[in-house]
Amino acid sequence: MAVGIFCEFALPDDPFLDQFSSGYERTDRYFRKREWFNPDKGRSAPPTYVFRVAKGGPVVGYCAFDFGKQPHPDDASTTKARYLVIYMIGVDQAFQGTQNPLAPGQTYAASIMAVLEDISRAKQSCVGLSLWVRSTNEVAMAYYRKVGFTADPAGPSLRDEGDPILTMRKFLT
């Protein structure tokens, strides 16, 4: 199990949400405006988590994820498999590139990804993690490659207005 970071469900009354700043306007808006929270159901959809340096400590980031069936092993596949699907993830700028002292050699962002990988490994029949990234976001794609994700061989697809979106996956071994 990943160590060095505390994870819990995000709550819509979390005061830090209003000042959260990942440096990416769409990500910040998603978390600040509580787009992940469904007030009619009284819960987050998809489930959204806050990551802190310790219980009750400063917020490192947020992540909205859930398990779902995705084309496997790539977007061109007709078969599907269970993945932990990362819908939105953001690390506060104060912690970007910062080493996590409780996980030597690992940044706080890598600690978040380690927790997500542990969660995916604990889910029966889960084959990996999946996320979408704008094909023009070289910084994010380089980071995801660094932590073991690979780009879908089918290349980017238009799933959203703006830049084409690329699927990236990390297979569990």
Side-chain angles (χ1 to χ4, degrees):
M1 187 67 151
V3 295
I5 197 157
F6 181 78
C7 173
E8 63 187 346
F9 276 112
L11 299 173
D13 62 351
D14 176 353
F16 187 77
L17 281 165
D18 297 322
Q19 60 193 33
F20 177 70
S21 178
S22 69
Y24 295 95
E25 188 268 329
R26 179 150 168 29
T27 302
D28 295 346
R29 183 179 67 240
Y30 179 84
F31 290 115
R32 286 182 191 162
K33 298 215 179 261
R34 283 83 167 162
E35 290 180 25
W36 48 271
F37 190 77
N38 184 332
D40 295 334
K41 293 184 178 181
R43 64 180 174 87
S44 60
T48 301
Y49 296 82
V50 57
F51 293 84
R52 300 176 184 276
V53 298
K55 186 173 183 170
V59 172
V60 173
Y62 295 92
C63 184
F65 68 88
D66 205 352
F67 289 93
K69 296 278 186 162
Q70 301 257 303
H72 177 73
D74 57 54
D75 282 347
S77 300
T78 57
T79 58
K80 292 187 174 189
R82 182 184 312 272
Y83 283 86
L84 180 145
V85 181
I86 300 169
Y87 292 99
M88 188 68 68
I89 188 168
V91 174
D92 194 76
Q93 287 181 311
F95 291 95
Q96 291 176 7
T98 303
Q99 294 294 308
N100 181 346
L102 298 177
Q106 194 175 73
T107 64
Y108 279 106
S111 292
I112 291 172
M113 295 306 279
V115 167
L116 296 176
E117 186 172 337
D118 285 348
I119 292 168
S120 65
R121 286 184 187 285
K123 183 73 165 183
Q124 186 175 4
S125 73
C126 183
V127 300
L129 295 85
S130 174
L131 56 82
W132 295 294
V133 62
R134 292 197 180 279
S135 61
T136 56
N137 192 341
E138 292 294 333
V139 172
M141 289 188 306
Y143 175 74
Y144 295 136
R145 281 190 295 271
K146 182 178 178 180
V147 295
F149 283 77
T150 57
D152 191 283
S157 62
L158 292 175
R159 294 193 176 149
D160 195 6
E161 72 275 351
D163 298 324
I165 303 298
L166 177 67
T167 301
M168 295 187 78
R169 291 180 178 81
K170 180 174 184 175
F171 297 107
L172 301 177
T173 54

